Amino acid sequence: MKVLVLNCGSSTLKFQIIETSESGAVERKLARGIVDRIGGQASYHFEADGAAAVNNALVVRDHEAAVGLVIEWLGSKPGLKPIDAVGHRVVHGGDRFTSAVLIDDDVIATLEALCELAPLHNPGAVSGIRAARKILGDAIPMVAAFDTSFHHTIPQQAAIYAIPYELSQRHKIRRYGFHGLAHQHDIARYAELVGKPPTQVSAVTLHLGNGCSATAIRNGQSIDTSMGFTPLEGLVMGTRSGDVDPALVSYLARKERVDAAEIDNWLNKLSGLLGLSGISNDMRELTAAYQTNPRARLAVDVFCYRARKYLGAYLSILEGSAEAVIFSGGIGENSALVRKNILNAMAWCGIRLDDAANETMIGRDGRISAPQSKLDVFVIHTDEEAIIARETARVLEKK
Ligand code: ADP
């Protein structure tokens, strides 16, 4: 089945064409591209295997125009036609969508209602779905795959916040968790690499990119994850604070004479690595300045400390059943320094890095733990698009 995977953010559209099946056993990526800065003077980059890449800049007023641009380009590439299905990435599936779903009018109406829970993330996806349906019509089935659904197995004790129960009920407040497509991919890939079914592996996945989250996975299922009601909770991220004392919000609002929306902005956009270092949210710059700039060092150290704290907590709730720690995301895949700093001082639970493997495992999948390590440590390149394509095939093949 040839799937067009669409990942629409508020002002970007990324796509891939992936030939796959439910199992992903035989998978081929045929084309990929991005439209950036939708809503004004945009740029795009499209490339298909065996053809020259195209780059251009032009006004792209909305997602419909962006999807139109992609479809028109696909139409000019005979090898890419026909598309059998479209798989859409949607960040928030709320409590309604516990797995990928075939898109119909009812699903779109529910996704629109969910924009309230994910105002930064879901509107772009909904625009992309509407645009694709308008351009491609009903003949091509479309599936939505959610970043929250992998976490629907988190038990109530880990999902509920200790605030008045009625408030949680009234406003659907709970730990939803995010990055689910990434964690699902990473555990499936690890299982493949060690030759086991995903349902027989338990591990802690550390997905460290601009956004960062940790997940405790037991027998292939998420039982806890560090992002919560929103993607702000948990680990230190590029510009997000992760965990803070919730009393900071009202304290800072009073002291700085600003409203809650401003604090929200500080915690989401000006905190994390950027806020701590005062230099950058880019881990490459911070690790390069680690030896020479105390604030860069502070940011990296706090980032690694928080990740280690979650790792310890998750090894504990997995009750010793974890067999692996898995690093992914731009930082997890590429930074040997961050991996080492997180795992340093984890010898108490038998984790031993192979330093040479850690230094050289950059941007490729493989084991970085020493042979005597009690737990495997793996680096895995996250491929969310592949999971979306496989989920799309699964939904349609079942149908
Ligand atoms: P997103 O969450 O937006 O998908 P990515 O997974 O692409 O982000 O990760 C982006 C992060 O990865 C940035 O902080 C970037 O600095 C970091 N990164 C990429 N390459 C390296 C590297 N070689 N060393 C350290 N950090 C890196």
Side-chain angles (χ1 to χ4, degrees):
M1 174 178 296
K2 215 181 276 170
V3 182
L4 166 62
V5 175
L6 284 181
N7 181 354
C8 290
S10 54
S11 64
T12 57
L13 177 161
K14 293 185 201 151
F15 76 91
Q16 287 191 12
I17 304 280
I18 303 178
E19 195 155 36
T20 191
S21 61
E22 176 182 348
S23 71
V26 184
E27 202 156 79
R28 282 201 315 142
K29 298 204 162 187
L30 307 172
R32 61 213 64 79
I34 180 166
V35 185
D36 215 354
R37 295 189 298 276
I38 296 169
Q41 184 66 30
S43 62
Y44 67 84
H45 174 94
F46 299 160
E47 59 181 63
D49 292 352
V54 293
N55 291 290
N56 213 339
L58 79 175
V59 172
V60 177
R61 65 178 187 286
D62 54 19
H63 284 86
E64 192 180 322
V67 174
L69 206 58
V70 173
I71 302 294
E72 193 185 318
W73 177 75
L74 291 177
S76 70
K77 297 268 166 294
L80 299 179
K81 291 190 297 186
I83 301 297
D84 300 303
V86 182
H88 292 270
R89 179 186 188 174
V90 182
V91 168
H92 213 313
D95 52 8
R96 159 91 185 268
F97 300 115
T98 55
S99 65
V101 63
L102 187 66
I103 295 173
D104 59 18
D105 290 339
D106 179 43
V107 167
I108 294 181
T110 309
L111 292 179
E112 257 160 8
L114 283 169
C115 287
E116 199 184 357
L117 283 179
L120 298 178
H121 296 101
N122 272 26
V126 173
S127 305
I129 291 170
R130 284 200 178 283
R133 290 212 338 156
K134 191 161 168 193
I135 293 169
L136 294 168
D138 289 340
I140 298 189
M142 300 194 189
V143 167
F146 303 92
D147 273 298
T148 47
S149 18
F150 182 61
H151 300 301
H152 85 276
T153 45
I154 291 177
Q156 195 192 28
Q157 62 184 4
I160 196 163
Y161 291 99
I163 60 173
Y165 187 80
E166 298 71 22
L167 279 180
S168 298
Q169 296 292 303
R170 196 179 316 145
H171 300 293
K172 294 187 187 305
I173 294 170
R174 53 163 288 161
R175 176 179 309 287
Y176 288 103
F178 297 89
H179 282 158
L181 297 161
H183 292 289
Q184 183 182 350
H185 170 272
D186 298 345
I187 197 74
R189 175 74 177 133
Y190 167 76
E192 184 188 342
L193 289 171
V194 296
K196 289 186 186 178
T199 50
Q200 283 176 25
V201 291
S202 298
V204 178
T205 43
L206 294 171
H207 182 71
L208 310 177
N210 270 316
C212 301
S213 65
T215 297
I217 297 173
R218 183 162 61 207
N219 296 329
Q221 294 194 330
S222 170
I223 62 162
D224 203 350
T225 193
S226 58
M227 286 178 168
F229 178 62
T230 74
L232 181 57
E233 193 181 346
L235 304 182
V236 174
M237 312 182 209
T239 61
R240 284 175 247 168
S241 61
D243 296 338
V244 292
D245 182 338
L248 277 185
V249 177
S250 59
Y251 184 78
L252 279 175
R254 259 196 328 275
K255 287 286 183 192
E256 295 285 327
R257 298 177 197 280
V258 294
D259 61 10
E262 185 67 25
I263 309 287
D264 218 40
N265 189 47
W266 291 351
L267 295 177
N268 274 292
K269 303 267 172 67
L270 299 176
S271 298
L273 294 173
L274 175 66
L276 282 166
S277 70
I279 301 171
S280 171
N281 63 334
D282 190 320
M283 187 57 98
R284 274 168 293 210
E285 282 186 49
L286 300 179
T287 48
Y290 189 77
Q291 298 298 345
T292 51
N293 185 313
R295 289 273 299 275
R297 188 184 188 110
L298 175 72
V300 176
D301 286 349
V302 174
F303 180 95
C304 295
Y305 174 81
R306 181 83 55 85
R308 192 189 317 143
K309 192 158 136 179
Y310 266 91
L311 173 57
Y314 286 177
L315 291 175
S316 160
I317 63 162
L318 285 165
E319 300 176 49
S321 66
E323 62 178 63
V325 178
I326 297 163
F327 284 97
S328 69
I331 298 173
E333 287 165 32
N334 294 299
S335 178
L337 174 75
V338 167
R339 297 189 299 237
K340 190 178 166 85
N341 282 5
I342 292 172
L343 294 183
N344 257 347
M346 293 297 286
W348 61 270
C349 65
I351 297 179
R352 295 271 196 287
L353 268 190
D354 175 335
D355 284 325
N358 183 42
E359 291 298 328
T360 51
M361 199 66 71
I362 307 289
R364 61 195 172 91
D365 296 351
R367 184 185 272 110
I368 56 168
S369 46
Q372 75 273 25
S373 183
K374 212 170 126 199
L375 278 83
D376 272 339
V377 182
F378 266 71
V379 173
I380 285 176
H381 170 69
T382 296
D383 188 348
E384 287 150 324
E385 284 76 13
I387 286 288
I388 297 167
R390 280 176 224 166
E391 288 289 294
T392 301
R394 184 178 61 75
V395 168
L396 296 173
E397 282 166 14
K398 211 164 56 186
K399 192 168 146 266

